[in-house]
Amino acid sequence: MANVSIKFNGKEFLLSCDDGQEEHLEELLIQINQKFNDLKNNLGNLGENKLLIITAEKVMDEYYETKKKVDQKKNELKELSNKFKELKSLIYDYKDKKELEFNDLNKKHNNLKKEIDANQRKYEKLIDEAAEEISSFVEKSNLDNLS
């Protein structure tokens, strides 16, 4: 335990605190002493006990207001976090939906490509057969004319 010597309302006090907390304790006590002196200047010398109670009440009021604001900000942050999670979920759902649509379109594209290739082969076969029949007809016709 460390000891800190402070001056409050013109009196010296020796306070104990955890090691490493000396500077923090000094800062806090400077703030409390400042509030005490401000009240003493504003309200006059009501007596040390009354000024101490009013100082404690002011410090607690500031603490309470700060705590309310911190709690409010925590709630806002929590709501924002929930909205972010919801948005993230919507993005992933949208991405999954678009991937399914893309895969479906890809399958349809491949099927159409296969159908076009099959039709192309059928068309070429039909042209070849027609050309062969025409050629056969012309040969037959030439043979008939020669005879």
Side-chain angles (χ1 to χ4, degrees):
M1 292 289 269
N3 291 322
V4 176
S5 178
I6 58 117
K7 199 171 206 174
F8 184 80
N9 195 25
K11 299 175 189 170
E12 289 275 338
F13 293 93
L14 185 63
L15 300 175
S16 295
C17 64
D18 291 335
D19 290 333
Q21 295 296 315
E22 300 90 351
E23 189 176 316
H24 182 67
L25 181 60
E26 287 175 359
E27 289 174 9
L28 289 174
L29 292 170
I30 288 170
Q31 293 296 319
I32 291 172
N33 193 42
Q34 181 64 44
K35 286 194 183 305
F36 181 84
N37 288 331
D38 289 346
L39 284 171
K40 190 177 184 180
N41 292 335
N42 291 337
L43 300 176
N45 197 0
L46 297 175
E48 188 176 43
N49 289 339
K50 284 184 182 178
L51 285 173
L52 283 172
I53 289 172
I54 295 170
T55 302
E57 181 271 329
K58 282 207 159 282
V59 168
M60 283 307 296
D61 182 50
E62 289 175 6
Y63 166 78
Y64 180 71
E65 289 300 315
T66 302
K67 185 177 182 312
K68 276 188 353 186
K69 288 178 183 176
V70 167
D71 289 343
Q72 180 184 3
K73 293 299 178 188
K74 280 182 182 178
N75 288 336
E76 290 174 9
L77 184 60
K78 187 176 181 179
E79 287 177 24
L80 190 61
S81 178
N82 288 338
K83 287 180 182 180
F84 178 76
K85 286 177 185 175
E86 183 181 336
L87 182 60
K88 186 177 172 184
S89 174
L90 288 172
I91 288 170
Y92 283 125
D93 289 346
Y94 179 79
K95 178 184 170 267
D96 292 344
K97 182 180 173 186
K98 289 301 171 188
E99 281 181 358
L100 288 174
E101 287 178 11
F102 176 76
N103 290 338
D104 187 46
L105 285 173
N106 216 9
K107 285 179 187 175
K108 287 180 181 178
H109 173 74
N110 288 336
N111 289 340
L112 183 60
K113 205 172 176 182
K114 287 177 186 176
E115 190 176 327
I116 289 171
D117 288 344
N119 286 339
Q120 180 71 26
R121 285 190 299 274
K122 286 179 186 176
Y123 174 75
E124 288 173 0
K125 183 179 176 184
L126 186 63
I127 294 292
D128 289 344
E129 288 174 356
E132 198 174 300
E133 284 184 29
I134 292 172
S135 180
S136 175
F137 177 76
V138 169
E139 279 181 31
K140 209 179 197 186
S141 176
N142 283 342
L143 287 176
D144 285 343
N145 284 341
L146 288 176
S147 352

